Protein backbone atom coordinates (compact mmCIF):
# COMPACT_ATOMS: atom_id res chain seq x y z
CA UNK A 1 0.00 0.00 0.00
CA UNK A 2 2.12 2.81 -1.27
CA UNK A 3 1.32 6.49 -1.05
CA UNK A 4 -0.39 8.58 -3.69
CA UNK A 5 -2.50 11.70 -3.86
CA UNK A 6 -2.12 14.54 -1.36
CA UNK A 7 0.30 13.93 1.49
CA UNK A 8 -1.22 14.38 4.96
CA UNK A 9 -0.65 17.77 6.58
CA UNK A 10 -0.03 16.29 10.06
CA UNK A 11 1.93 13.02 9.72
CA UNK A 12 2.18 12.60 13.49
CA UNK A 13 -1.60 12.40 13.89
CA UNK A 14 -2.88 11.10 10.53
CA UNK A 15 -2.14 7.61 9.29
CA UNK A 16 -0.55 7.13 5.90
CA UNK A 17 -0.85 3.96 3.83
CA UNK A 18 2.85 3.89 2.93
CA UNK A 19 3.84 4.06 6.60
CA UNK A 20 1.16 1.51 7.56
CA UNK A 21 2.62 -0.78 4.90
CA UNK A 22 6.09 -0.18 6.35
CA UNK A 23 4.82 -1.18 9.80
CA UNK A 24 3.14 -4.32 8.45
CA UNK A 25 6.46 -5.32 6.84
CA UNK A 26 8.30 -4.85 10.13
CA UNK A 27 9.83 -1.47 9.32
CA UNK A 28 10.54 1.37 11.74
CA UNK A 29 9.68 4.43 9.62
CA UNK A 30 6.14 4.94 10.98
CA UNK A 31 4.26 6.89 13.63
CA UNK A 32 1.84 5.94 16.39
CA UNK A 33 -1.12 6.87 14.16
CA UNK A 34 0.14 4.47 11.48
CA UNK A 35 0.68 1.64 13.95
CA UNK A 36 -2.72 2.14 15.55
CA UNK A 37 -4.47 2.17 12.16
CA UNK A 38 -2.56 -0.92 11.04
CA UNK A 39 -3.51 -2.79 14.20
CA UNK A 40 -7.18 -1.88 13.66
CA UNK A 41 -6.84 -3.16 10.10
CA UNK A 42 -5.31 -6.40 11.36
CA UNK A 43 -8.26 -6.81 13.71
CA UNK A 44 -10.63 -6.35 10.75
CA UNK A 45 -8.64 -8.64 8.45
CA UNK A 46 -6.08 -10.84 10.26
CA UNK A 47 -4.41 -11.78 6.96
CA UNK A 48 -3.40 -8.21 6.13
CA UNK A 49 0.24 -8.59 7.21
CA UNK A 50 0.59 -11.72 5.09
CA UNK A 51 -1.03 -9.84 2.20
CA UNK A 52 1.57 -7.05 2.51
CA UNK A 53 4.41 -9.58 2.56
CA UNK A 54 2.97 -11.45 -0.45
CA UNK A 55 2.70 -8.20 -2.38
CA UNK A 56 6.32 -7.33 -1.60
CA UNK A 57 7.44 -10.76 -2.74
CA UNK A 58 5.47 -10.25 -5.97
CA UNK A 59 7.37 -7.00 -6.56
CA UNK A 60 10.69 -8.80 -6.07
CA UNK A 61 9.79 -11.58 -8.52
CA UNK A 62 8.44 -9.15 -11.11
CA UNK A 63 11.59 -7.00 -11.04
CA UNK A 64 13.78 -10.08 -11.26
CA UNK A 65 11.72 -11.33 -14.22
CA UNK A 66 12.00 -7.96 -15.95
CA UNK A 67 15.79 -8.03 -15.79
CA UNK A 68 16.48 -11.72 -16.31
CA UNK A 69 13.76 -12.71 -18.78
CA UNK A 70 12.75 -9.47 -20.52
CA UNK A 71 16.10 -7.66 -20.64
CA UNK A 72 14.69 -4.48 -19.07
CA UNK A 73 17.26 -2.23 -17.40
CA UNK A 74 15.16 0.84 -16.55
CA UNK A 75 12.50 1.14 -13.84
CA UNK A 76 9.99 3.81 -12.85
CA UNK A 77 8.52 2.98 -9.43
CA UNK A 78 5.31 5.03 -9.07
CA UNK A 79 4.24 5.56 -5.45
CA UNK A 80 7.28 3.68 -4.24
CA UNK A 81 6.60 3.97 -0.52
CA UNK A 82 9.19 3.75 2.23
CA UNK A 83 12.48 1.95 1.65
CA UNK A 84 12.54 -1.60 2.98
CA UNK A 85 14.65 -4.71 2.50
CA UNK A 86 15.46 -5.42 -1.14
CA UNK A 87 14.35 -2.24 -2.85
CA UNK A 88 13.81 -2.17 -6.61
CA UNK A 89 17.28 -0.83 -7.42
CA UNK A 90 18.92 -3.46 -5.21
CA UNK A 91 17.01 -6.28 -6.88
CA UNK A 92 17.59 -4.98 -10.40
CA UNK A 93 21.27 -4.07 -9.92
CA UNK A 94 21.99 -7.42 -8.28
CA UNK A 95 21.15 -9.00 -11.63
CA UNK A 96 22.53 -6.19 -13.80
CA UNK A 97 24.63 -3.42 -12.22
CA UNK A 98 23.81 -1.10 -15.13
CA UNK A 99 20.10 -0.87 -14.21
CA UNK A 100 18.61 2.60 -13.63
CA UNK A 101 15.77 3.20 -11.16
CA UNK A 102 13.67 6.29 -10.41
CA UNK A 103 11.42 6.21 -7.34
CA UNK A 104 8.37 8.50 -7.30
CA UNK A 105 6.46 9.53 -4.19
CA UNK A 106 4.98 12.67 -2.64
CA UNK A 107 4.95 11.84 1.07
CA UNK A 108 7.56 13.93 2.96
CA UNK A 109 8.48 11.06 5.29
CA UNK A 110 8.98 8.72 2.34
CA UNK A 111 11.18 11.29 0.65
CA UNK A 112 13.26 12.01 3.75
CA UNK A 113 14.10 8.34 4.22
CA UNK A 114 14.30 7.63 0.50
CA UNK A 115 17.11 10.13 -0.10
CA UNK A 116 19.41 7.58 1.55
CA UNK A 117 18.92 5.44 -1.56
CA UNK A 118 21.04 7.91 -3.49
CA UNK A 119 24.06 6.72 -1.56
CA UNK A 120 23.92 3.59 -3.70
CA UNK A 121 25.10 5.51 -6.75
CA UNK A 122 24.18 7.84 -9.61
CA UNK A 123 21.90 5.29 -11.29
CA UNK A 124 19.16 5.77 -8.69
CA UNK A 125 16.99 8.81 -7.93
CA UNK A 126 13.95 9.61 -5.83
CA UNK A 127 11.71 12.45 -7.00
CA UNK A 128 8.88 14.41 -5.43
CA UNK A 129 5.81 14.05 -7.61
CA UNK A 130 2.13 13.11 -7.61
CA UNK A 131 1.45 10.04 -9.77
CA UNK A 132 -1.84 11.62 -10.87
CA UNK A 133 0.18 14.34 -12.67
CA UNK A 134 2.02 11.82 -14.77
CA UNK A 135 3.32 14.26 -17.38
CA UNK A 136 5.19 16.10 -14.61
CA UNK A 137 6.67 12.77 -13.55
CA UNK A 138 7.80 11.77 -17.02
CA UNK A 139 9.26 15.20 -17.78
CA UNK A 140 11.10 15.52 -14.45
CA UNK A 141 14.83 16.28 -14.94
CA UNK A 142 15.92 13.15 -13.03
CA UNK A 143 13.63 10.98 -15.12
CA UNK A 144 15.06 12.50 -18.29
CA UNK A 145 18.58 11.96 -16.93
CA UNK A 146 18.14 8.30 -16.01
CA UNK A 147 15.41 6.94 -18.30
CA UNK A 148 15.72 6.55 -22.08
CA UNK A 149 12.18 6.15 -23.36
CA UNK A 150 13.43 4.87 -26.72
CA UNK A 151 14.44 1.70 -24.86
CA UNK A 152 12.23 -0.66 -22.80
CA UNK A 153 11.19 0.57 -19.36
CA UNK A 154 9.37 -1.23 -16.54
CA UNK A 155 6.66 1.04 -15.13
CA UNK A 156 5.76 -0.18 -11.64
CA UNK A 157 2.34 0.49 -10.09
CA UNK A 158 2.62 -1.88 -7.16
CA UNK A 159 -0.08 -1.42 -4.53
CA UNK A 160 -0.49 2.25 -5.36
CA UNK A 161 -3.46 2.81 -7.68
CA UNK A 162 -5.99 1.68 -5.07
CA UNK A 163 -4.80 4.83 -3.24
CA UNK A 164 -6.02 6.95 -6.17
CA UNK A 165 -9.74 7.86 -6.26
CA UNK A 166 -11.74 7.50 -9.45
CA UNK A 167 -11.47 11.26 -9.97
CA UNK A 168 -7.72 10.74 -10.35
CA UNK A 169 -8.36 8.39 -13.30
CA UNK A 170 -6.14 5.40 -12.41
CA UNK A 171 -6.56 3.67 -15.80
CA UNK A 172 -5.74 6.96 -17.50
CA UNK A 173 -2.50 7.14 -15.52
CA UNK A 174 -1.49 3.76 -16.93
CA UNK A 175 -2.51 4.72 -20.46
CA UNK A 176 -0.54 7.97 -20.40
CA UNK A 177 2.57 6.16 -19.20
CA UNK A 178 2.17 3.38 -21.77
CA UNK A 179 1.89 6.01 -24.52
CA UNK A 180 5.47 7.06 -23.70
CA UNK A 181 6.93 3.55 -23.49
CA UNK A 182 8.86 1.72 -26.19
CA UNK A 183 7.73 -1.72 -27.41
CA UNK A 184 8.98 -4.42 -25.07
CA UNK A 185 8.40 -2.23 -22.03
CA UNK A 186 6.51 -3.65 -19.06
CA UNK A 187 3.71 -2.54 -16.76
CA UNK A 188 3.88 -4.18 -13.33
CA UNK A 189 0.60 -3.76 -11.47
CA UNK A 190 -0.93 -4.92 -8.20
CA UNK A 191 -4.19 -3.70 -6.69
CA UNK A 192 -6.56 -4.55 -3.82
CA UNK A 193 -9.78 -6.13 -5.08
CA UNK A 194 -12.86 -7.88 -3.75
CA UNK A 195 -15.88 -9.59 -5.25
CA UNK A 196 -17.87 -8.69 -2.13
CA UNK A 197 -19.43 -5.22 -2.27
CA UNK A 198 -19.77 -5.04 1.51
CA UNK A 199 -16.10 -5.93 2.01
CA UNK A 200 -15.02 -3.38 -0.61
CA UNK A 201 -16.99 -0.64 1.11
CA UNK A 202 -15.80 -1.63 4.61
CA UNK A 203 -12.09 -1.53 3.77
CA UNK A 204 -12.42 1.57 1.60
CA UNK A 205 -14.33 3.46 4.29
CA UNK A 206 -11.85 2.44 6.98
CA UNK A 207 -8.73 3.48 5.05
CA UNK A 208 -10.39 6.68 3.84
CA UNK A 209 -11.20 7.54 7.46
CA UNK A 210 -7.82 6.82 9.05
CA UNK A 211 -5.88 8.60 6.29
CA UNK A 212 -7.98 11.76 6.36
CA UNK A 213 -9.39 11.14 2.90
CA UNK A 214 -6.04 10.28 1.26
CA UNK A 215 -7.29 7.05 -0.24
CA UNK A 216 -9.00 5.69 -3.34
CA UNK A 217 -10.99 2.46 -3.13
CA UNK A 218 -10.90 -1.31 -3.29
CA UNK A 219 -12.11 -2.25 -6.77
CA UNK A 220 -13.65 -5.23 -8.55
CA UNK A 221 -11.31 -7.68 -10.32
CA UNK A 222 -12.85 -6.95 -13.72
CA UNK A 223 -12.08 -3.26 -13.34
CA UNK A 224 -8.38 -3.99 -12.96
CA UNK A 225 -8.41 -6.43 -15.89
CA UNK A 226 -9.83 -3.70 -18.13
CA UNK A 227 -6.88 -1.41 -17.34
CA UNK A 228 -4.49 -3.85 -19.04
CA UNK A 229 -6.42 -4.24 -22.29
CA UNK A 230 -4.18 -3.81 -25.33
CA UNK A 231 -1.13 -5.09 -23.47
CA UNK A 232 0.32 -8.60 -23.61
CA UNK A 233 -0.09 -10.33 -20.27
CA UNK A 234 2.95 -12.33 -19.19
CA UNK A 235 1.93 -15.79 -17.97
CA UNK A 236 0.15 -16.56 -15.69
CA UNK A 237 -1.73 -13.31 -16.33
CA UNK A 238 -3.66 -11.31 -13.74
CA UNK A 239 -3.72 -13.47 -10.61
CA UNK A 240 -3.59 -13.25 -6.83
CA UNK A 241 -0.07 -11.92 -6.19
CA UNK A 242 1.33 -14.98 -4.41
CA UNK A 243 0.36 -17.09 -7.45
CA UNK A 244 2.39 -14.99 -9.90
CA UNK A 245 5.41 -17.18 -10.71
CA UNK A 246 6.06 -18.31 -7.12
CA UNK A 247 9.57 -19.34 -6.22
CA UNK A 248 10.32 -22.96 -5.25
CA UNK A 249 9.06 -23.56 -1.75
CA UNK A 250 6.46 -20.78 -1.87
CA UNK A 251 2.91 -21.76 -0.99
CA UNK A 252 0.58 -19.56 -3.06
CA UNK A 253 -2.83 -18.74 -1.68
CA UNK A 254 -5.07 -15.81 -0.75
CA UNK A 255 -4.39 -14.21 2.63
CA UNK A 256 -7.96 -13.00 3.17
CA UNK A 257 -11.40 -14.37 2.41
CA UNK A 258 -12.78 -10.85 1.85
CA UNK A 259 -10.20 -9.08 -0.32
CA UNK A 260 -7.02 -10.01 -2.16
CA UNK A 261 -4.34 -8.26 -4.14
CA UNK A 262 -4.25 -9.05 -7.84
CA UNK A 263 -0.97 -8.74 -9.69
CA UNK A 264 0.20 -8.87 -13.28
CA UNK A 265 3.13 -8.09 -15.55
CA UNK A 266 2.04 -6.86 -18.98
CA UNK A 267 4.20 -6.19 -22.03
CA UNK A 268 3.84 -3.20 -24.36
CA UNK A 269 3.48 -4.65 -27.88
Amino acid sequence: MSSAGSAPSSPLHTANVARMYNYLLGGRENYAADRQAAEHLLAMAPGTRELAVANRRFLERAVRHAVEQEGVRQFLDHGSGLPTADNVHQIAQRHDPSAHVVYIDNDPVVLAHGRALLADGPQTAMITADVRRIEQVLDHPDVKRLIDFSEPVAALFVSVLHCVPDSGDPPGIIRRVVDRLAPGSLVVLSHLVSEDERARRRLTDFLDGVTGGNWGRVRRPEEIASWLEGLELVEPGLVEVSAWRPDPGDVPGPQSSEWIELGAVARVP
Side-chain angles (χ1 to χ4, degrees):
M1 289 179 283
S2 304
S3 58
S6 301
S9 57
S10 178
L12 286 171
H13 302 100
T14 305
N16 171 275
V17 288
R19 297 193 302 266
M20 290 171 63
Y21 188 53
N22 175 265
Y23 173 72
L24 291 169
L25 290 173
R28 297 180 179 180
E29 287 77 30
N30 47 74
Y31 297 130
D34 309 306
R35 296 188 288 273
Q36 183 178 25
E39 289 296 337
H40 280 305
L41 184 56
L42 287 168
M44 285 175 53
T48 299
R49 178 169 279 117
E50 290 76 13
L51 186 150
V53 171
N55 185 67
R56 190 72 191 180
R57 294 281 293 120
F58 162 73
L59 170 64
E60 294 169 2
R61 296 193 303 275
V63 171
R64 190 174 69 217
H65 170 85
V67 178
E68 291 185 336
Q69 305 300 319
E70 305 281 347
V72 175
R73 301 294 184 267
Q74 307 181 99
F75 295 83
L76 283 173
D77 190 358
H78 299 84
S80 55
L82 284 153
T84 186
D86 261 0
N87 297 286
V88 171
H89 73 288
Q90 294 165 327
I91 302 164
Q93 291 169 5
R94 185 179 305 135
H95 297 282
D96 189 324
S98 70
H100 288 192
V101 179
V102 177
Y103 296 95
I104 303 142
D105 211 294
N106 73 328
D107 181 78
V109 176
V110 170
L111 294 165
H113 288 278
R115 299 299 185 195
L117 293 171
L118 300 181
D120 282 356
Q123 294 161 207
T124 303
M126 172 164 269
I127 68 172
T128 306
D130 186 332
V131 299
R132 296 172 298 181
R133 298 178 175 87
I134 204 65
E135 286 75 17
Q136 293 180 10
V137 171
L138 300 180
D139 293 331
H140 190 282
D142 280 333
V143 173
K144 289 184 173 182
R145 176 173 62 88
L146 289 175
I147 303 298
D148 178 0
F149 285 101
S150 69
E151 297 292 331
V153 176
L156 312 181
F157 298 95
V158 175
S159 205
V160 62
L161 292 180
H162 49 230
C163 301
V164 177
D166 292 341
S167 60
D169 191 18
I173 293 171
I174 294 176
R175 287 195 303 271
R176 297 199 302 277
V177 172
V178 168
D179 285 345
R180 295 281 290 270
L181 300 181
S185 294
L186 301 174
V187 171
V188 178
L189 172 69
S190 68
H191 195 292
L192 282 168
V193 300
S194 178
E195 299 275 11
D196 185 328
E197 182 179 357
R198 184 178 302 174
R200 288 197 304 271
R201 185 178 301 121
R202 188 158 67 100
L203 183 56
T204 295
D205 289 349
F206 171 78
L207 288 169
D208 197 56
V210 299
T211 61
N214 290 288
W215 176 248
R217 67 180 175 92
V218 182
R219 295 181 169 93
R220 300 186 307 278
E222 57 268 26
E223 292 181 83
I224 310 310
S226 71
W227 297 358
L228 299 173
E229 290 177 358
L231 302 176
E232 300 171 350
L233 286 174
V234 174
E235 290 293 334
L238 181 64
V239 295
E240 189 273 321
V241 288
S242 69
W244 196 90
R245 300 194 173 206
D247 287 327
D250 288 351
V251 181
Q255 291 75 40
S256 169
S257 60
E258 292 188 295
W259 44 71
I260 63 170
E261 195 136 11
L262 288 182
V265 175
R267 192 180 301 112
V268 177

